[in-house]
Amino acid sequence: MGLRLKFNLILLAVFSAGFLTVGVVAQRYLERQAIDDAERAALMTLDAAVMGNINARTATAMGSRLVEMKIREFPADKVQSGISGVEGEAIARFKDSSNNQISDIFISSSGDKRLVIARKLNSIEDAGKIRIASIDLIPILATAKTALTTLMSSLGAVFFAVFFVLNLMLDRLIVRPIAEMARQADAVSIGDFTIPEFKPSTKDEVGVLAIAFNRMRRSTEEAIALLKSS
């Protein structure tokens, strides 16, 4: 296994581990951030509806300008009347909670995720009602997935650029000089001193090794010449 292949395998292993780690962390972060943004938009819409005394239909139209949502109102005692779907589950959970508001992700009968916020209305005319904002998370998560794809594609492009530059530097600064010294060492080992000396182009460790190799070659050539003359 050559030096370049070993280097590339190690580089690919390190990048793959880092790529997967960044992908998992970024996916969780982007999805959580998208859901939090949707929740803030729903809460802002619900607050504005209460302050402006806006009905559920108007609040839905207003909230949909921020994120696609549906706002409905139900009498609190209707939990016994069998409201179906995620709204029924949200009302049931709200009735079991001591808080005036709940916010959670529910799974619909079709398997879709929906963010549902249920809040008890305290105004005199709406007393006893529960207002529910339901947000379809499919487009929300799709946006997060698009952002993740863009991020990972950019990261992959950066890696391949770095991979190319590192391989180019490895080839010119390490692989080629060492391969040439190996070729000359093989020639010297059979007594062939006709090949020109290796000319180091850098002053780094490879350049120092080349100088030492040339010195050893000259010493070997002189020693062989002395042996022949004697």
Side-chain angles (χ1 to χ4, degrees):
M1 184 181 294
L3 178 64
R4 183 184 304 178
L5 180 58
K6 290 180 180 179
F7 175 81
N8 286 334
L9 288 176
I10 294 174
L11 186 62
L12 284 173
V14 172
F15 172 76
S16 297
F19 192 81
L20 290 175
T21 301
V22 171
V24 171
V25 174
Q27 181 182 19
R28 292 179 180 177
Y29 173 79
L30 290 173
E31 287 183 356
R32 186 68 260 173
Q33 190 68 29
I35 293 174
D36 289 344
D37 289 342
E39 183 176 10
R40 281 192 291 270
L43 290 174
M44 184 172 64
T45 301
L46 291 175
D47 291 338
V50 170
M51 289 186 293
N53 195 23
I54 300 173
N55 59 37
R57 178 176 297 181
T58 305
T60 297
M62 181 176 64
S64 294
R65 294 180 177 273
L66 301 174
V67 62
E68 190 64 32
M69 71 174 71
K70 181 189 296 183
I71 299 177
R72 300 177 67 186
E73 293 178 0
F74 301 93
D77 55 3
K78 261 200 170 184
V79 66
Q80 306 296 333
S81 65
I83 298 175
S84 60
V86 295
E87 293 170 336
E89 295 180 24
I91 293 176
R93 188 176 300 181
F94 183 82
K95 293 289 287 184
D96 294 334
S97 174
S98 58
N99 300 322
N100 289 328
Q101 176 178 298
I102 65 167
S103 177
D104 206 350
I105 296 176
F106 294 82
I107 307 297
S108 67
S109 58
S110 59
D112 298 332
K113 290 183 177 180
R114 300 192 71 88
L115 174 65
V116 180
I117 301 174
R119 173 184 291 181
K120 185 177 181 180
L121 300 179
N122 296 317
S123 62
I124 298 177
E125 61 273 18
D126 294 324
K129 290 184 178 180
I130 297 176
R131 181 169 286 175
I132 295 178
S134 176
I135 301 174
D136 186 4
L137 290 181
I138 290 181
I140 301 294
L141 296 179
T143 301
K145 185 177 181 180
T146 300
L148 177 65
T149 301
T150 302
L151 172 64
M152 300 309 290
S153 299
S154 302
L155 186 61
V158 171
F159 166 75
F160 283 112
V162 172
F163 183 84
F164 175 78
V165 172
L166 287 179
N167 269 273
L168 186 63
M169 293 176 62
L170 179 70
D171 180 71
R172 293 189 175 183
L173 299 179
I174 299 178
V175 174
R176 287 186 185 181
I178 291 179
E180 178 61 23
M181 280 187 280
R183 186 181 69 85
Q184 292 192 17
D186 185 63
V188 170
S189 68
I190 60 176
D192 180 11
F193 296 99
T194 60
I195 57 176
E197 287 190 354
F198 181 82
K199 295 181 180 180
S201 58
T202 61
K203 296 182 179 180
D204 55 13
E205 289 79 358
V206 176
V208 174
L209 176 62
I211 294 173
F213 174 78
N214 288 333
R215 188 183 302 118
M216 181 186 68
R217 171 186 168 167
R218 287 192 294 267
S219 298
T220 303
E221 187 176 3
E222 291 172 359
I224 292 177
L226 288 173
L227 288 174
K228 287 181 179 181
S229 63
S230 62

